[in-house]
Amino acid sequence: MSIFISYSRKDSDFVHRLHRGLLSHDRATWVDWEGIPPTADWMQQIEAAIDAAEAVAFVLSPDSLASEVCRRELDHADAQNKRLIPVVWRQTDAAQVPPALARLNWIFCRDDDDFETALQTLLLAVDTDLDWLQAHTRLLVRAVEWQAKGRDASLALRGGDLKAAEQWLTLGPRKTPQPTELQTRYILDSRRQATNRRLLLLGGTGVSLVAIAILGTLFHFQRQESARQEANAVARRLASASERVREQQPAPGSTSSPVEVSVQLAAEAVRRLAAVGGRALEADLAIRRALAIMPQRVARLDPVVEPAERFDDIVFGAGGQLIAASRFLSATGVWEAGSYQPAGGRQRAVSASAVALSADGQFLATVDPGHVEGAIDVWRIGAAAPLASLRDAGSVQGVAIAPGGTHLLVSSSRYDARSGWDQGLTRLVELPGRRETARLPSVLWPSFSRDGAYLAGLVGGDQPVIWAMARLQQGQLAPMLSLAAAAPLARAPLFSSDGTLLAIHFGENPAKVGIWTVKDGKMLWEVRREFPLAVGPGARHLALRDDDGGHALRIVDSGSDRDVARFTSESDFPALAFSPDGRDVAIASGKGIDVWRILGRGSDVARRSAGGQAFALVFSVGETRFGVLGRSGTGSSAGVMAETWELVDGGVSAQLDLGPAASPVAGSADGKSLALASAGQVRVIDASSGKTRCSFAFEGAMKALALSPDARYLAGASDRETLQLWQVEPQKLLATIALAEPVVDNRLAVASDGQVVGVTRGSASRIGVPLTVRVWSSPSLSEIAARRVGAERSGLAGSVCAISADGRLVAINTADTAVTVRESSTGRDIGTVDEARGGRQCAFSADGRYLAVTGSEDTVRVWEIAAQTEVARLEQVVTPTSLQFSPGGRYLATLEQDGTARAWLLRPDDLLAEACSRLTGNIAASDWERYLGKAPYVPACPGLPSPVPGAS
């Protein structure tokens, strides 16, 4: 048994201890102690050692994650489907861990962890399914040699070795690590050669025809398997590249967005897998994470007048129209709200050294660079002549116009041959008469609030202050508020686009961004962040520039401190503005403007606030709407309200009063019907209209309800410990039976043929409450199966977290990190979902093919049950309380503890379509060659521009 250890040289002391520990348990290790520079020959030796090892232990630390050599070792081990075992030696940022390691269970072996316990866990991980692991290694080594020697026929498998290898290959989809593409080709080619040899020996036409047919079938499956394995390998490589590129800074001089390239790579990974009917978690995660920060470009605006250099100031007017100004020829442009169609523009005879727009976009100030006295002209947008001119401003250091053009503020200084430059001053001038209403110390980075009520800037170079305009006009020059103590070493203060809040970048080592209320100076938010360029309404979103250089911009949600969009700018400090509703952001780009929509979501195509009374999720029949069921009223007046939304941006909300109902509520898998229980009555209603289809009487309080997938049958269990089965149409009570044990709340299902499955609970004991899965036949409700759920690995009684819509499958919590899927009628376990980390919320898809389970770190994991493979993972789902698949399995809805309801895309083709709706073009030819070599160019998004003419 050989274990390859991948590590950073800075962790050598720990690795020596780990090496000694493994040797003491008779485990051979391969460790590169020398630290030889990574030449081609050296890397070949490393790769050969990885191929020959049964497992690869990756020592996780900040240094190993930053090591290019460790990354190459990991990529090779992952490509060869080696068993990877992450060993945490020093704490790392989980977000920086590659997906190949992030999806695995980590072994913690830090200073404060018990080394022997960690070592035993490592040995157990290595020894699990040891025969399979050793066969994987043995076949990989032989396949690599066969490939290296030009597929030499003498190295092919024969006889018993070939039969054993073929049997090993058939188990591959259910094993970990899975067979590699090379191993598959090696085994299939060995069989082809063996068949050819047998044909030569047997001869005869009939035998030859049979053999040819066998070979044809074998070749067909070989090609299918080879294509699947190749697509999987390439997709995993692309997904890994997508994860790396997403976090990179734009290359110097490049306008290519790393986020866009990341989405393009992830989309290509998904496309390749979809073409062979495959799925991979790495590709799913890569595209979801990239979409989470990918905005949607809604307009590309060219200059209204030509020629024009880049725009230097941009604002949105109160009506949503966009106004931009350029120093070149003092040009302006205006575009209509919403449609962004050109609505006017003007240029002048001379350029300006500086331009400034009023916050309402109605006025422009230009500073004449050729005027020795610092001439400033104020223009109404679109006017041919200036509203006012100021000829004695001096050397202008800052200028701002109040909304409505009522005041001009100018900060300037003057030079004297004897005394040099003065300390400067700031004048507030009334327009259009140019009467000076206030004189202040030099104010840097001055700006007015959108309503014109406040003025903010820096005095003394780095002290932020706020003045009330009404006081200044009355001659009261003292600031209304100073934030110098709260925000030392401040940079340019920025009003939010609605003028109610002020954002300030301040301090150093580390620098921070803070948000204060304008009226009373109350700090609302503070975080270690980069330089702010603009603030959205209510300061929900901030546009920030990265401090570490490059032209990277990001939009941050101030509530969650998460990036919701990232961009690449063509300049260090581009002009940028938020729309009045905060949905769009305009960014100066080259000689035009890009307008981007901040979607604030990734693969969750709909997100709505449902309130604290929401308790269940629903979908419409055609999967066009999703929504929640919520409680209304209390006691005898208790009822249920349904609120639904269209599954598109800006979807229309609809509310429906479903009438009186207490717990529980059940829905049919096809989304057509709901069943609601109230005092002594169960109603089956049409889910879209709320109209009652039929009703049934019962005694006691209903504890569990279930509708068959097609709503033909209804089953209910009451607190009187009775179970009843009804036929919905024609309306009929089929059977009523007494129960020896009560049914667990909401753990009841009825199949389309009327067979009922329920979970009952026994008497509590020291190991908890034992549960039993029972099956009753239709229509008599005769019990035909009863099987105890069993105990968890901890010894405590197991629990059931979900039953499939037809009752065929139950999901059982069998351990803190596992959920077992069991057939209700036979008791046979058909799969175990590992790494569920004690998921207490589960949901089956309507067809029973997938199971969604809540995981750790605010995740929901979607597993393909038959393959026992995680195919999708939803992240940043905070404390989910309910999960629901749509009838056709296209969406998964989640309901979070704070009442947030979201609908997530599940299918790869839908994720690909979502990516194409946000991209501005297909992957560049240079990026294609870099990541895919000489493979024929195929655009992932046929409807978008492609760099390769005629590519399809």
Side-chain angles (χ1 to χ4, degrees):
M1 168 62 69
S2 175
I3 303 170
F4 183 98
I5 301 179
S6 178
Y7 72 106
S8 165
R9 299 292 175 271
K10 296 181 180 179
D11 301 322
S12 294
D13 290 345
F14 167 73
V15 175
H16 273 95
R17 184 184 182 191
L18 182 63
H19 168 69
R20 291 193 299 270
L22 291 169
L23 287 179
S24 68
H25 288 82
D26 299 321
R27 300 300 196 280
T29 62
W30 200 102
V31 188
D32 174 26
W33 299 114
E34 304 300 326
I36 305 170
T39 63
D41 290 343
W42 171 85
M43 200 61 206
Q44 287 181 357
Q45 295 178 27
I46 291 290
E47 291 177 353
I50 292 173
D51 293 343
E54 270 75 24
V56 174
F58 190 98
V59 178
L60 270 173
S61 71
D63 292 305
S64 65
L65 290 178
S67 167
E68 180 63 28
V69 172
C70 290
R71 172 59 70 118
R72 292 172 65 181
E73 293 172 350
L74 174 62
D75 287 346
H76 182 75
D78 191 30
Q80 298 291 55
N81 286 0
K82 303 302 292 185
R83 177 169 290 175
L84 293 169
I85 306 172
V87 180
V88 180
W89 161 234
R90 285 186 286 136
Q91 196 62 45
T92 61
D93 181 358
Q96 302 300 318
V97 178
L101 298 174
R103 67 175 183 265
L104 303 174
N105 284 331
W106 297 358
I107 297 173
F108 292 92
C109 198
R110 299 160 297 191
D111 279 333
D112 54 350
D113 296 314
D114 184 76
F115 179 80
E116 285 302 322
T117 300
L119 183 62
Q120 290 300 322
T121 305
L122 173 60
L123 293 171
L124 180 62
V126 172
D127 292 343
T128 299
D129 212 351
L130 188 56
D131 292 341
W132 170 266
L133 202 60
Q134 291 174 337
H136 191 284
T137 302
R138 185 167 58 252
L139 283 169
L140 181 61
V141 171
R142 294 185 65 172
V144 169
E145 182 184 9
W146 170 75
Q147 175 84 351
K149 294 185 177 180
R151 303 186 180 185
D152 188 343
S154 66
L155 297 175
L157 297 166
R158 297 170 180 251
D161 284 349
L162 177 56
K163 290 182 180 179
E166 288 175 325
Q167 185 178 6
W168 177 86
L169 187 61
T170 62
L171 300 174
R174 299 188 297 273
K175 293 287 189 176
T176 301
Q178 292 187 351
T180 66
E181 178 191 358
L182 177 60
Q183 289 170 319
T184 302
R185 283 205 311 266
Y186 179 50
I187 295 169
L188 292 174
D189 195 80
S190 296
R191 170 52 63 194
R192 183 182 61 79
Q193 292 185 37
T195 303
N196 287 342
R197 289 194 300 271
R198 187 165 62 251
L199 284 174
L200 290 174
L201 292 173
L202 292 176
T205 304
V207 174
S208 297
L209 290 174
V210 173
I212 290 172
I214 294 173
L215 274 176
T217 303
L218 182 64
F219 179 71
H220 172 72
F221 285 115
Q222 178 184 359
R223 287 191 62 182
Q224 280 190 327
E225 180 61 24
S226 177
R228 188 184 70 82
Q229 292 282 356
E230 180 181 4
N232 191 60
V234 173
R236 293 171 73 179
R237 187 173 71 247
L238 289 172
S240 178
S242 172
E243 297 275 12
R244 290 197 303 272
V245 170
R246 189 181 68 248
E247 301 302 325
Q248 290 176 355
Q249 289 288 331
S254 171
T255 59
S256 176
S257 165
V259 174
E260 181 140 333
V261 176
S262 175
V263 173
Q264 290 167 336
L265 292 172
E268 178 61 20
V270 171
R271 186 196 68 79
R272 285 178 172 261
L273 287 167
V276 295
R279 300 181 72 168
L281 178 62
E282 293 89 345
D284 180 86
L285 278 173
I287 198 166
R288 291 182 192 277
R289 289 170 176 171
L291 285 173
I293 54 173
M294 178 71 187
Q296 185 177 50
R297 191 168 73 181
V298 294
R300 167 70 180 179
L301 309 179
D302 295 322
V304 178
V305 291
E306 293 286 358
E309 292 187 346
R310 73 179 181 88
F311 290 104
D312 299 286
D313 199 5
I314 305 174
V315 298
F316 279 91
Q321 70 273 28
L322 180 63
I323 304 97
S326 172
R327 288 178 295 175
F328 184 71
L329 298 180
S330 302
T332 57
V334 181
W335 294 266
E336 293 178 353
S339 67
Y340 296 112
Q341 293 298 310
R346 181 175 287 276
Q347 65 185 31
R348 295 167 179 85
V350 295
S351 296
S353 64
V355 293
L357 288 164
S358 60
D360 58 5
Q362 296 182 27
F363 295 88
L364 168 72
T366 61
V367 180
D368 184 354
H371 200 291
V372 295
E373 295 180 350
I376 301 175
D377 291 323
V378 178
W379 311 76
R380 184 181 294 274
I381 297 297
L387 172 72
S389 297
L390 195 65
R391 293 292 180 235
D392 57 350
S395 178
V396 178
Q397 297 166 335
V399 61
I401 315 172
T406 59
H407 291 84
L408 174 69
L409 183 132
V410 180
S411 294
S412 61
S413 59
R414 296 180 183 276
Y415 180 79
D416 181 89
R418 281 189 268 180
S419 57
W421 289 98
D422 61 22
Q423 294 183 353
L425 58 84
T426 296
R427 289 188 293 165
L428 182 65
V429 178
E430 189 176 76
L431 297 177
R434 295 178 297 169
R435 182 177 68 87
E436 183 176 308
T437 58
R439 182 170 291 196
L440 304 168
S442 180
V443 178
L444 301 180
W445 301 102
S447 62
F448 288 95
S449 61
R450 192 175 188 90
D451 60 3
Y454 301 98
L455 168 68
L458 300 179
V459 297
D462 59 5
Q463 300 174 37
V465 293
I466 302 174
W467 289 271
M469 284 293 293
R471 294 182 183 180
L472 286 176
Q473 293 177 66
Q474 295 170 3
Q476 301 177 33
L477 304 184
M480 179 188 79
L481 191 65
S482 173
L483 297 173
L489 302 176
R491 269 73 78 187
L494 296 169
F495 282 105
S496 60
S497 58
D498 58 3
T500 60
L501 303 171
L502 192 72
I504 304 174
H505 190 226
F506 67 96
E508 57 184 12
N509 298 324
K512 301 176 183 179
V513 175
I515 297 175
W516 285 266
T517 56
V518 172
K519 289 185 176 181
D520 56 12
K522 180 181 178 182
M523 175 176 274
L524 301 180
W525 185 74
E526 179 185 282
V527 70
R528 296 181 182 180
R529 278 288 188 170
E530 304 87 345
F531 195 91
L533 298 175
V535 186
R540 179 188 174 189
H541 290 144
L542 281 79
L544 304 174
R545 173 190 177 272
D546 279 356
D547 267 344
D548 49 2
H551 295 162
L553 307 177
R554 61 186 70 220
I555 306 295
V556 177
D557 185 300
S558 61
S560 62
D561 191 26
R562 288 175 176 156
D563 290 357
V564 293
R566 294 183 192 169
F567 313 89
T568 297
S569 168
E570 295 182 3
S571 62
D572 285 340
F573 293 93
L576 186 149
F578 284 95
S579 62
D581 60 6
R583 294 183 67 202
D584 294 347
V585 60
I587 304 175
S589 179
K591 292 186 177 181
I593 299 172
D594 285 322
V595 183
W596 298 89
R597 179 137 306 154
I598 306 167
L599 299 174
R601 58 174 178 79
S603 55
D604 48 335
V605 294
R607 180 186 304 191
R608 299 291 182 269
S609 179
Q613 296 301 311
F615 65 91
L617 295 152
V618 291
F619 280 93
S620 65
V621 177
E623 298 182 309
T624 58
R625 301 181 70 89
F626 94 110
V628 297
L629 301 180
R631 305 289 182 194
S632 64
T634 58
S636 59
S637 61
V640 172
M641 293 287 295
E643 185 173 13
T644 63
W645 304 272
E646 294 177 359
L647 280 165
V648 293
D649 284 337
V652 178
S653 170
Q655 290 189 338
L656 186 64
D657 187 348
L658 302 181
S663 296
V665 175
S668 60
D670 61 8
K672 294 181 179 180
S673 302
L674 290 170
L676 304 94
S678 56
Q681 184 185 58
V682 178
R683 292 180 298 123
V684 179
I685 67 171
D686 182 276
S688 60
S689 66
K691 182 180 178 181
T692 299
R693 294 178 55 192
C694 60
S695 62
F696 304 96
F698 68 93
E699 295 182 356
M702 192 62 72
K703 304 300 291 182
L705 271 180
L707 275 171
S708 62
D710 55 6
R712 289 181 59 202
Y713 296 96
L714 171 68
S718 74
D719 61 352
R720 303 289 178 88
E721 296 190 9
T722 60
L723 176 65
Q724 292 178 285
L725 178 64
W726 294 277
Q727 182 176 283
V728 175
E729 290 182 358
Q731 184 174 338
K732 182 181 180 182
L733 174 63
L734 298 178
T736 301
I737 63 170
L739 296 172
E741 295 178 341
V743 173
V744 178
D745 291 358
N746 298 320
R747 293 293 179 255
L748 194 66
V750 56
S752 295
D753 61 1
Q755 180 173 282
V756 179
V757 177
V759 180
T760 63
R761 64 173 182 269
S763 300
S765 66
R766 59 184 179 82
I767 65 167
V769 179
L771 302 180
T772 302
V773 177
R774 301 181 187 273
V775 183
W776 296 275
S777 66
S778 174
S780 62
L781 289 181
S782 299
E783 187 172 279
I784 57 177
R787 291 177 174 84
R788 284 289 188 192
V789 168
E792 297 182 353
R793 295 173 193 172
S794 63
L796 299 176
S799 60
V800 174
C801 65
I803 305 179
S804 63
D806 58 5
R808 186 175 61 87
L809 304 173
V810 293
I812 300 170
N813 289 308
T814 55
D816 286 341
T817 61
V819 173
T820 295
V821 179
R822 183 172 298 168
E823 285 185 343
S824 57
S825 58
T826 66
R828 182 174 67 93
D829 290 345
I830 62 173
T832 297
V833 174
D834 212 345
E835 304 169 47
R837 304 190 188 278
R840 290 302 179 260
Q841 293 294 332
C842 303
F844 285 97
S845 59
D847 58 5
R849 184 179 177 186
Y850 298 101
L851 178 69
V853 182
T854 54
S856 62
E857 298 176 349
D858 297 335
T859 61
V860 175
R861 303 177 179 218
V862 181
W863 295 77
E864 187 175 356
I865 296 169
Q868 299 185 51
T869 302
E870 186 181 359
V871 295
R873 185 182 301 171
L874 315 180
E875 297 180 307
Q876 298 178 10
V877 188
V878 182
T879 319
T881 59
S882 182
L883 308 174
Q884 179 68 47
F885 284 90
S886 63
R890 186 177 183 183
Y891 304 99
L892 177 68
T894 60
L895 179 62
E896 299 173 36
Q897 194 171 46
D898 66 355
T900 300
R902 292 195 269 179
W904 303 75
L905 293 173
L906 287 183
R907 295 175 180 170
D909 53 347
D910 285 331
L911 289 170
L912 181 58
E914 180 69 19
C916 292
S917 73
R918 304 194 198 182
L919 290 170
T920 59
N922 280 290
I923 190 169
S926 57
D927 288 327
W928 180 277
E929 185 174 356
R930 178 181 179 185
Y931 295 106
L932 290 155
K934 299 301 181 181
Y937 187 99
V938 180
C941 306
L944 294 179
S946 171
V948 181
S952 62

